[in-house]
Amino acid sequence: MNEQKNDKKEQNNKKNWYYLVAIIILVIAVAGIAIWYFTTGKQKENDNEIAYTELIKKIDEGAIEKVEMTVGSTSAKVKLRGEEEEKNAIVPNTQAFVELIQTKTLEGNNIELIQKKQNVLISISQTLFSLLPTIMLVVLFIVIFKMQGLGDKGKVYDAETTKSKIKFDDVAGLEEEKNEMLEIVDFLKDPKKFNEMGAKIPRGVLLCGKPGTGKTLIAKAIAGEAKVPFISMSGSEFIEMFAGLGASRVRKLFEKAKKVAPCIVFIDEIDAIGSRRTSGNGAESENNQTLNQLLVEMDGFDTEETIIVLAATNRPEMLDKALLRPGRFDRQITIALPDMKGREEILKIHAKGKKFAEDVKLKDIAGDTAGFTGAELANILNEAAIIATIKDHEAITNDDVEDAVKKVTVGLERQSRVISDKDKKLTAYHEAGHAIVSSQLESQKDIKEVSIIPRGIAGGYTMYKTNEDKYYISKTEMEEKLIALLGGRAAEKVALNDISTGASNDIEVATQIAKDMITKYGMSDNLGPISINTEKDPYELQLLGDKFGDAVGAEVKIMLDNAYLKAQTILANNMDKLNKVAQTLMEKEVISSEEFESLIK
Ligand code: ADP
Ligand code: ZN
């Protein structure tokens, strides 16, 4: 984990380098101005001045005792006979002035002439000050130039090369995936052995999975296990406003890789460059060039060259088919969300080095966090440690962990927000509605907590226990989920006879589920088992005909209407329970699962 942090630091350091130079120059400039102002300002402060013509007159009269001048400066200090204080004078022509004093002295009119060397500090500051505009301009130019990536070496966008210390042991779960990667590790360790045998190792592996599932981690672990350099770049870094820049970055990336081979090249978010090619605007043709360059590079590998390209994406279906051809990314590994056992193992890894109280059971946390990614689990334990520190606990308690889970899932508790009584009542009925409706549905009735304390953007929330990992969800369960989601809106309607904007997220989620049920899982009675993926193919719906599109829309509407009606019916039949729960919520703001059970008994 420290490794990861170091990587990020390194990356930041590189990017900050240019800022640093700019800041240093700026500081020097400011210091220069300050010194200049300080030293010359002091002289100006003294208004005890004598005009040049007056000075010449005084010299003629023999009234001057001493003249003190600084070489290279036009200012002079003069002391008049019989006067204590010295006067300042500006001498336009120092050469002539010095000659004048020398003649006067020769004539017997004794004037003491002191010629001092200039103060080094002043001369430096003056030089700096005069060069300042030029320096600033040059620096500014370089910084802009580099940041645009136009500089010949393009350091800012240079691919990261690191020695990864991450090993397979640092990657929890994912046993099959790690096993599949073993041959790549062996190949990188001893490519000759494989080449002599004539064995072909995949050159490109596509890692598919949601953000935070550990794709980068496993790629680093391969490099770490094989003890080879890890060169990484994100797809979005290739996309630039200057045409051709993306392609040249790809070229440089592989030039670098060839120098340090054997090595791992990791391209994150490859969909940013590798999306399906469609003819069209500028940005897309830029993508084309970048993508083409990537294909050229991958095709150009010699059999001798030991570069393995790993790429990560969450949307493999969006990728250009050319990328998936043999010799390119011809192997795909899907990294799924961790199951219960996987979550426990991830928690174990991230619990290392943290102090826990006796009541914390990693197994229970794993049970409560179905659907969480590895990154979220790591985040929860870190948040819990922060909460425990702030609360001055001796060790991380179970409450701290539960707080952290809520913080990561629903957002931070916002105690500062002032809620009007009207809003409070609305939220109480809305959440009570979700809870009561859910309690009457077999698949939704395991409620963990109901709350009207605002968190993140939500005004309140109803949390469910998620104890088992499911690989399949039934149609009944999805229908019940829709009813529970619309329970909030239904309660507003049934109890307060008005509806609010508070249900917008519920409705959004419900609509998505209904759409998926019909177009992804083929669960509609009318349309049957069919899959329509307009993201994959925008013309799919058109191919099936306009009428078909209309039918999908009608099905979604029927599904949502039915669910909403069902929710209202449940509430109408349980008005007393709804009132009781809403009332209790207004008083206590949070209801635990036990309290909820006893309220609705
Ligand atoms: P991705 O590249 O898939 O978006 P990352 O590899 O960047 O995800 O994972 C982010 C962080 O989540 C990792 O640095 C690690 O701390 C944690 N993590 C994710 N999956 C695992 C895992 N299987 N084992 C241990 N830590 C994990
Ligand atoms: Zn709601």
Side-chain angles (χ1 to χ4, degrees):
M1 266 53 65
N2 285 334
E3 172 85 4
Q4 222 103 18
K5 271 182 204 148
N6 284 342
D7 284 358
K8 281 221 177 94
K9 243 187 230 161
E10 238 167 68
Q11 198 172 347
N12 283 343
N13 280 349
K14 265 190 185 167
K15 286 186 180 165
N16 285 344
W17 199 76
Y18 297 99
Y19 290 112
L20 200 71
V21 172
I23 287 168
I24 289 172
I25 300 283
L26 218 76
V27 168
I28 291 174
V30 170
I33 294 173
I35 294 168
W36 178 77
Y37 184 81
F38 187 68
T39 47
T40 57
K42 231 189 192 166
Q43 289 166 4
K44 275 194 192 128
E45 246 172 50
N46 200 342
D47 62 4
N48 186 10
E49 277 192 20
I50 181 165
Y52 186 60
T53 46
E54 178 78 14
L55 179 63
I56 301 290
K57 226 171 86 189
K58 291 279 187 210
I59 288 173
D60 274 336
E61 287 168 6
I64 303 291
E65 187 186 317
K66 192 171 97 180
V67 174
E68 202 182 305
M69 295 182 72
T70 311
V71 177
S73 156
T74 54
S75 60
K77 277 183 183 163
V78 292
K79 189 166 178 295
L80 280 84
R81 273 178 223 289
E83 270 185 36
E84 266 303 295
E85 222 176 329
E86 293 182 338
K87 284 185 191 299
N88 291 319
I90 299 291
V91 180
N93 186 341
T94 46
Q95 185 62 30
F97 183 68
V98 169
E99 274 167 21
L100 174 75
I101 293 173
Q102 277 163 349
T103 1
K104 286 290 167 193
T105 312
L106 283 177
E107 282 169 10
N109 193 347
N110 204 359
I111 302 173
E112 193 187 341
L113 176 66
I114 302 167
Q115 282 183 286
K116 285 203 305 191
K117 274 216 181 128
Q118 197 174 30
N119 185 331
V120 192
L121 219 56
I122 298 176
S123 67
I124 289 176
S125 72
Q126 275 173 350
T127 319
L128 257 180
F129 193 68
S130 61
L131 285 176
L132 197 72
T134 328
I135 294 173
M136 299 254 283
L137 256 169
V138 168
V139 168
L140 203 74
F141 191 69
I142 291 173
V143 168
I144 291 175
F145 203 65
K146 290 282 185 180
M147 279 173 40
Q148 300 278 33
L150 281 172
D152 53 352
K153 290 204 179 72
K155 276 240 165 77
V156 171
Y157 279 103
D158 218 0
E160 290 279 308
T161 313
T162 41
K163 276 254 176 267
S164 170
K165 286 201 195 73
I166 293 176
K167 293 282 158 65
F168 277 154
D169 277 348
D170 299 311
V171 186
L174 305 176
E175 294 308 326
E176 280 160 47
E177 289 82 354
K178 284 193 265 187
N179 261 337
E180 252 195 283
M181 300 295 196
L182 269 179
E183 61 175 64
I184 293 180
V185 173
D186 286 343
F187 171 68
L188 287 170
K189 273 184 180 162
D190 191 0
K192 245 171 92 194
K193 196 170 80 187
F194 283 80
N195 286 335
E196 277 166 11
M197 195 67 72
K200 275 213 178 92
I201 289 294
R203 282 312 161 82
V205 179
L206 193 63
L207 301 169
C208 311
K210 285 194 177 159
T213 44
K215 299 184 291 297
T216 314
L217 192 69
I218 206 166
K220 278 190 179 162
I222 295 169
E225 288 284 342
K227 298 201 177 63
V228 298
F230 178 82
I231 304 179
S232 71
M233 213 152 161
S234 169
S236 58
E237 282 176 85
F238 292 112
I239 307 305
E240 272 303 312
M241 43 190 174
F242 299 103
L245 218 63
S248 92
R249 281 191 186 144
V250 171
R251 207 176 309 120
K252 275 183 199 144
L253 175 72
F254 283 91
E255 263 168 28
K256 199 168 169 181
K258 278 173 197 161
K259 266 186 218 142
V260 296
C263 67
I264 294 275
V265 170
F266 179 68
I267 304 174
D268 206 358
E269 299 172 50
I270 192 162
D271 37 295
I273 41 172
S275 289
R276 247 150 233 278
R277 285 173 286 192
T278 38
S279 66
N281 61 42
E284 263 172 3
S285 68
E286 160 75 350
N287 281 4
N288 275 352
Q289 286 184 33
T290 313
L291 177 57
N292 286 338
Q293 188 62 39
L294 181 63
L295 298 176
V296 167
E297 295 290 347
M298 290 193 74
D299 291 346
F301 284 160
D302 283 332
T303 36
E304 300 295 301
E305 243 149 9
T306 41
I307 300 171
I308 303 277
V309 188
L310 299 171
T313 181
N314 187 26
R315 298 183 294 177
E317 75 280 355
M318 299 282 285
L319 292 181
D320 198 291
K321 290 231 161 59
L323 268 174
L324 309 176
R325 287 209 192 106
R328 296 168 181 169
F329 294 99
D330 48 5
R331 188 172 299 184
Q332 274 195 37
I333 293 182
T334 302
I335 303 200
L337 287 172
D339 60 10
M340 177 122 161
K341 192 162 155 279
R343 291 197 299 274
E344 192 182 342
E345 273 161 21
I346 294 173
L347 287 167
K348 258 186 210 154
I349 283 190
H350 291 276
K352 273 185 207 143
K354 293 190 175 73
K355 238 162 76 185
F356 288 97
E358 296 249 311
D359 64 345
V360 177
K361 302 269 181 297
L362 294 183
K363 196 169 183 168
D364 294 348
I365 306 175
D368 276 351
T369 46
F372 281 47
T373 64
E376 283 168 327
L377 293 170
N379 195 8
I380 282 173
L381 290 189
N382 189 46
E383 288 292 343
I386 291 172
I387 292 170
T389 313
I390 290 171
K391 290 195 172 162
D392 255 345
H393 291 166
E394 299 251 308
I396 302 165
T397 66
N398 194 43
D399 278 351
D400 296 336
V401 176
E402 289 200 348
D403 266 5
V405 172
K406 280 182 220 160
K407 190 170 165 185
V408 171
T409 46
V410 220
L412 203 59
E413 205 170 83
R414 288 184 308 174
Q415 274 146 339
S416 59
R417 198 167 90 173
V418 184
I419 316 154
S420 71
D421 281 351
K422 197 168 159 248
D423 274 358
K424 204 168 171 179
K425 188 172 177 187
L426 185 88
T427 315
Y429 270 98
H430 181 102
E431 295 308 329
H434 282 305
I436 299 290
V437 168
S438 302
S439 72
Q440 305 300 313
L441 300 165
E442 195 47 43
S443 67
Q444 307 292 314
K445 64 180 187 207
D446 275 340
I447 283 162
K448 192 172 177 208
E449 188 174 291
V450 191
S451 163
I452 58 165
I453 298 174
R455 263 185 190 277
I457 52 162
Y461 57 88
T462 302
M463 248 165 101
Y464 297 87
K465 290 181 194 160
T466 44
N467 273 327
E468 51 183 320
D469 283 296
K470 292 202 191 87
Y471 291 100
Y472 302 108
I473 308 174
S474 71
K475 182 181 175 187
T476 313
E477 203 175 328
M478 288 181 103
E479 281 170 343
E480 291 187 346
K481 179 88 206 155
L482 290 182
I483 302 169
L485 275 167
L486 295 174
R489 160 64 59 97
E492 294 176 26
K493 177 92 178 67
V494 172
L496 309 171
N497 195 24
D498 197 2
I499 51 176
S500 78
T501 54
S504 66
N505 185 252
D506 297 336
I507 293 171
E508 193 183 324
V509 175
T511 309
Q512 189 57 48
I513 293 176
K515 269 192 221 157
D516 284 350
M517 286 173 74
I518 293 154
T519 63
K520 204 165 167 182
Y521 306 118
M523 286 177 177
S524 140
D525 291 335
N526 270 336
L527 304 174
I530 189 161
S531 161
I532 309 153
N533 190 342
T534 46
E535 202 171 60
K536 200 165 159 186
D537 181 358
Y539 303 111
E540 197 157 283
L541 209 51
Q542 280 173 28
L543 278 178
L544 294 167
D546 274 353
K547 280 214 182 85
F548 198 86
D550 292 347
V552 170
E555 279 289 287
V556 173
K557 186 175 156 40
I558 290 170
M559 219 163 235
L560 291 172
D561 282 349
N562 281 344
Y564 187 41
L565 199 67
K566 190 84 203 282
Q568 290 185 67
T569 316
I570 292 176
L571 290 175
N573 292 334
N574 294 280
M575 274 311 274
D576 48 336
K577 285 181 190 167
L578 178 66
N579 286 328
K580 216 153 88 188
V581 172
Q583 209 61 44
T584 314
L585 269 176
M586 277 186 271
E587 284 158 24
K588 299 175 72 175
E589 298 195 335
V590 187
I591 303 180
S592 70
S593 73
E594 295 81 31
E595 286 169 316
F596 180 71
E597 292 298 330
S598 72
L599 274 174
I600 60 168
K601 228 175 219 158

